Amino acid sequence: GKAFTIGVLGALPLLAATTAGATAATTAGSVAAKSSATAKTVGGMGALSAVLTAGVICYFSVLGFLIFLGICIGYIMSRALRQSSRQFEYGTRFWRALAFGFGGFVAGPLALVFGFGLSAGTHPGLYHGLTLWMGLIYVAVPVALLIWLGRWWRESVCPSGATQAGPQGSLKRFYAWFGLGMAVPVVFFSMFLYGILFQQSFSGERLSRGDLQRIVVERKDADFKVVQYQNGSQSLSIRLPESRRRVIYHASVDSATLALLAQNHISYQTFVEGKDTNQLGTPWRLLGLLAFFLTPVGVVVLLQRPRQVEFETAGQSDTSHRDDRRARNAFRAFAVSMAVGLAALATFIGLITRWDTRTITLAELPAVVAEHESARYVVAQYNDGSSELLVTPREAEGSKIVAPADADTLAWLEGQGIPYRHISQGRDFGHADPKPWFSMVCIIALLSGAVLLLAWATRGMRLWSLAFGAGFAVTFLLVCGAGLAQSSCPGKLFVSTARVKVTEQPYASSKQEDREVVTSRELLDRVVSRLGLEQKWGEGNVKLSREGAVGRLKQRVRVEPLPRPDGEVLEIVCYAQDSKEAAAIANAVAEEFTNHRNQGQAVAQLIAPAMPGNQMISNFKPARLIVGSLVGCVAGLLVGTGCVWYQARRRAGADAVSE
């Protein structure tokens, strides 16, 4: 029916953005952002491409989903206000509850903080209590909404009190509570919208040391800011005027960075998280999202011009009940959208979870390093002060090995010459990877709620008929079976990594990024000639063209820079169908790069040559099964609905012929 179709269509953008957003979150939670290729002017299509990232798509999809839900509730309420005196009074009570809720849980703490000029640095306990108190608004609003929806549905479908005198609502009283209840959401909606349009950055890029030097020396008009996070780490953020505040550049703050800023007479502000920014924590940051749901509710109600029902007078019985099918269909669409949204949230949690997680001790670390020679090593520091060493094997990207990141572990890594990246919560990633057991509980609860909502919203329809079940089951099994078959195919690639250490150079000689040099056509062309890849990759006696060999080699080479206090380590990762070939390519690329960089002086050194691996890249990824199941469910719903529609058309045609 229309309600089911509208509900699914309203939530489809959220489903489409789930995979992209989860991929971005996983990348941010496991490794730091990659170095930017350049820090040149961002404008025109360049700015547009920088804005359209996976996280931004997911961000705006969530906003659109909230607006759609708000429009559904606003439409239901606007029609309910005209249905009966009871419904009018229930609507007045809803806005009165919101007025008291926002006044007590939001306006009260803000007035206390700003009225008395309190700060988080001098009153940390008070701010912690106010944060918890403000978080109660996210309980009060759903409770008020559920109470109103329950009363509306009971009176709309089963008007048990239709023969009793209903409470008489006053239009002035309704507008008074409506204005008080909408005051805080409208203010935060306006602030949120203003920030999106004029202030908020939708893309961030990590600067290499050479790019940072270039901006500091050349761009005196840039806006510099130092942010100190809860765990003590610091980050330098840079905004360029021509980027129109849409792109923000980040760099780690150390003694060399501060000395560079002081040497070039760069002034900057320092903001401490919890003291100067985000003083009231997550409840404060999420008020904008809550406003994006409640503001459309109020706008739709106002557009429908609420008024008292004409047939009601004081002392007269409320015996008229209007059967409003449109409002109930809108509520069904709301329920279907909520069900699809819960499924999308469950999918997101499943995608960002590392299901194959193994915890080891320091004594087991040497065996892991020997087994996974090309692994990626990341030290993650969390806001609570703890830190972990995350080891990700390149042949199995979906797995993760966790080790304690204490002083002994870091000293052992340094002694073995194993470079690692240091990331910090708040600066490089926003959340810690959820535990597999916690993710499983959340996924089961969310999917159970989605199934119950969907079953209730489609109750009484032909959605669960034999035709729908057959179409859904066949489509779901085909899509999931295809995903399972693809994930079960054995891997055919080997991976090998060579590490090159590049000492820091003066700014004048750092004209091109090292990662650009490694993947440049000139360097790869020399590697092709050196290894004879044209002949190896050709078919039979026919050689592959030089251009084709260089293009294929560029697809198989990846560069990951690891900034170090004494320079930078480049990890040159190569993939091939033979383990010896992968190691040979990695070493050849590393040696050609070393020769190129050492033309003037010895600044690059091959510190860890690539070794042939004995494990092929695993093609099995749990995320594929999750995405396949989600796509199978959506495709099954659409095909099943089409089967029901086709069956109904055939029955209608048969009835017309019989008549």
Side-chain angles (χ1 to χ4, degrees), residues 125-203:
L126 176 63
Y127 267 80
H128 181 69
L130 291 179
T131 300
L132 297 178
W133 178 257
M134 185 177 290
L136 294 177
I137 189 63
Y138 301 101
V139 178
V141 172
V143 168
L145 181 61
L146 289 176
I147 292 176
W148 174 78
L149 285 175
R151 290 172 172 174
W152 165 77
W153 184 265
R154 183 180 66 250
E155 293 294 329
S156 178
V157 179
C158 303
S160 58
T163 58
Q164 302 175 2
Q168 299 298 317
S170 168
L171 188 61
K172 292 183 178 180
R173 188 165 65 94
F174 171 82
Y175 274 117
W177 289 121
F178 176 82
L180 293 175
M182 281 292 297
V184 174
V186 168
V187 170
F188 279 90
F189 178 83
S190 303
M191 294 170 55
F192 205 71
L193 193 62
Y194 177 81
I196 290 176
L197 295 177
F198 302 105
Q199 290 185 330
Q200 197 162 355
S201 298
F202 294 120
S203 179

Side-chain angles (χ1 to χ4, degrees), residues 21-37:
T23 303
T26 303
T27 303
S30 58
V31 297
K34 295 182 178 180
S35 301
S36 63

Side-chain angles (χ1 to χ4, degrees), residues 561-573:
L562 300 177
R564 305 291 295 169
D566 55 348
E568 188 175 56
V569 174
L570 293 181
E571 288 193 339
I572 301 175
V573 187

Side-chain angles (χ1 to χ4, degrees), residues 441-461:
V441 172
C442 292
I443 290 174
I444 293 176
L446 291 172
L447 291 181
S448 300
V451 171
L452 292 177
L453 275 176
L454 199 60
W456 178 87
T458 57
R459 185 177 55 184
M461 299 183 180

Side-chain angles (χ1 to χ4, degrees), residues 28 67 85 145 158 255 280 362 367 381 458 562 607 631 651:
I67 291 175
S85 61
L145 181 61
C158 303
S255 58
L280 294 175
L362 178 58
Q381 182 180 1
T458 57
L562 300 177
I607 59 175
V631 175
R651 288 179 179 176

Side-chain angles (χ1 to χ4, degrees), residues 506-553:
Y507 164 73
S509 61
S510 181
K511 293 299 183 184
Q512 190 177 17
E513 285 290 327
D514 290 334
R515 57 188 300 180
E516 295 178 0
V517 174
V518 174
T519 57
S520 64
R521 190 189 186 285
E522 294 78 9
L523 189 144
L524 297 181
D525 186 78
R526 293 196 297 269
V527 174
V528 169
S529 300
R530 177 176 177 176
L531 300 179
L533 297 180
E534 297 169 297
Q535 182 67 38
K536 289 183 179 180
W537 290 347
E539 297 182 0
N541 296 327
V542 180
K543 289 185 178 181
L544 188 65
S545 64
R546 178 61 63 88
E547 191 69 26
V550 172
R552 182 179 297 185
L553 179 59

Side-chain angles (χ1 to χ4, degrees), residues 371-443:
E371 182 182 1
H372 306 285
E373 297 177 350
S374 300
R376 182 192 301 115
Y377 300 88
V378 177
V379 175
Q381 182 180 1
Y382 302 102
N383 286 335
D384 58 0
S386 63
S387 58
E388 292 179 333
L389 174 64
L390 310 179
V391 183
T392 304
R394 297 188 188 276
E395 63 271 10
E397 292 286 344
S399 62
K400 183 180 65 174
I401 302 172
V402 180
D406 51 15
D408 295 336
T409 303
L410 300 183
W412 186 86
L413 292 176
E414 295 288 347
Q416 296 295 319
I418 299 176
Y420 58 88
R421 186 186 300 274
H422 190 280
I423 61 176
S424 176
Q425 187 174 6
R427 185 187 67 188
D428 304 302
F429 64 97
H431 64 86
D433 290 340
K435 303 296 182 182
W437 64 267
F438 177 78
S439 298
M440 183 59 66
V441 172
C442 292
I443 290 174

